[in-house]
Amino acid sequence: TPSGAGTNSKIFTLSLWIKRCGLGASQAMMGTGNSSGYSSVFLEFDSNDKLRFAQINSQGNGFEFEYITNRTFRDVNAWYHVVCTVDSTDSTEADRVKIYVNGVRETSFSTTNHAGSNSTFLWNDARVHSIGRHGEWNLRYQNGVMSHIHNIDGTAYQASTFGETDSTTGIWKPKTAPSVTYGNNGFFLKFENSAAMGTDSSGNSNTFTVNGTMTQLIDTPSNVFCTMNP
C-alpha cells in the first residue's frame, strides 16, 4: 500500500513481461481495489485468454475505462511484454489508454470504453496494490512467470522505453535499465533476490510483501527456455 499521495492521479504507465502457464481462466497480472473487487484497477487475461485492462469505479456504477482485446494469448512458450500507458489529459479520447504487446500497439478490441477527459485513476492511490492477483480480492491469481515489472507514477511512456528489437534476431527484448522517472509511488520489481522477491529496485523503497510461495526461475525474457504445452 503506497504510504503517500501519488505524483499524478491522471497519468501512469505499467510495463511487465509474462509467460503464461495456464489458460482458460481469469488471471490478474496486477490489481488494486477493495476486498469485494470493486473500486479497482486491474490488468488480466480473462477466461477467454484475452487481455483485459479496466477500472471499475464502484459496484453498480460501471467502468471508468475498459478494454478487452479481440486477440487471444495462448502461447505458453513465449514471453509477452505488456505495456499500458494511461493519460487522461490527452485531448484524443482513443489515446488516453494505450496497450502495447511486444512493442506493437493493440487496436482491435471487443470492448472499448474510453477514459473521460481529465479523469482521476485509482492506481497509485493509497490502497493495496498487488502483483499476480486482483488487488485485495483473493481471486484471479496468476498462473505464470513474471519479470521486469515497472510502475511509473506521473509519466506516460511508450513501449519502446522498456523494450527494443534485437538487431540480429529481430526479437523484441527488454531494456534492463530503462531511463525513466518513477514518481512517488513508482516501483521496479526485478525478482533477482530469491530471498527478497518483493524488493523495489526503483530507488523508492516501495518494497512488496511476499505472500505464498514464489519460485525464482532461470527462464527469463532474455534467456527463454522451451516449455511443455499442457
Side-chain angles (χ1 to χ4, degrees):
T1 304
S3 59
T7 301
N8 190 323
S9 62
K10 300 178 181 181
I11 303 172
F12 66 94
T13 307
L14 305 176
S15 172
L16 62 91
W17 288 77
I18 184 165
K19 187 173 187 179
R20 305 199 68 191
C21 299
L23 307 178
S26 295
Q27 299 176 30
M29 288 167 270
M30 306 173 74
T32 180
N34 58 29
S35 58
S36 66
Y38 297 101
S39 299
S40 62
V41 178
F42 57 92
L43 174 65
E44 69 174 10
F45 293 111
D46 68 13
S47 58
N48 295 312
D49 300 314
K50 297 182 179 183
L51 192 62
R52 184 185 185 205
F53 183 43
Q55 173 171 309
I56 302 174
N57 285 337
S58 61
Q59 186 172 8
N61 288 339
F63 293 86
E64 176 59 46
F65 66 83
E66 183 184 23
Y67 297 86
I68 303 174
T69 62
N70 281 311
R71 178 184 177 186
T72 57
F73 298 84
R74 295 182 175 135
D75 189 344
V76 294
N77 271 288
W79 280 90
Y80 295 113
H81 180 216
V82 181
V83 175
C84 299
T85 303
V86 182
D87 182 359
S88 68
T89 68
D90 197 304
S91 59
T92 302
E93 183 180 55
D95 288 343
R96 291 173 193 153
V97 176
K98 302 174 185 176
I99 301 172
Y100 302 86
V101 178
N102 295 340
V104 179
R105 185 176 175 182
E106 293 289 315
T107 57
S108 178
F109 298 98
S110 61
T111 297
T112 305
N113 292 316
H114 298 305
S117 178
N118 289 301
S119 296
T120 57
F121 303 111
L122 302 174
W123 193 258
N124 291 315
D125 196 5
R127 59 186 64 225
V128 172
H129 287 55
S130 295
I131 306 297
R133 73 171 186 175
H134 189 302
E136 289 184 271
W137 195 13
N138 292 320
L139 294 171
R140 303 186 185 180
Y141 284 96
Q142 183 59 233
N143 182 4
V145 190
M146 303 177 74
S147 181
H148 291 85
I149 300 178
H150 298 270
N151 171 44
I152 308 298
D153 176 12
T155 308
Y157 290 109
Q158 306 302 308
S160 58
T161 302
F162 306 97
E164 60 188 349
T165 301
D166 187 278
S167 59
T168 302
T169 64
I171 295 173
W172 187 255
K173 65 179 183 180
K175 293 181 178 178
T176 56
S179 178
V180 297
T181 300
Y182 284 95
N184 294 343
N185 294 334
F187 55 80
F188 175 22
L189 303 184
K190 293 182 179 180
F191 307 117
E192 65 180 352
N193 184 347
S194 61
M197 298 284 270
T199 300
D200 174 23
S201 298
S202 72
N204 282 343
S205 298
N206 290 325
T207 294
F208 277 68
T209 299
V210 177
N211 291 284
T213 302
M214 296 177 67
T215 303
Q216 188 182 57
L217 303 182
I218 56 174
D219 186 347
T220 72
S222 301
N223 187 31
V224 183
F225 280 64
C226 295
T227 305
M228 295 183 73
N229 188 339

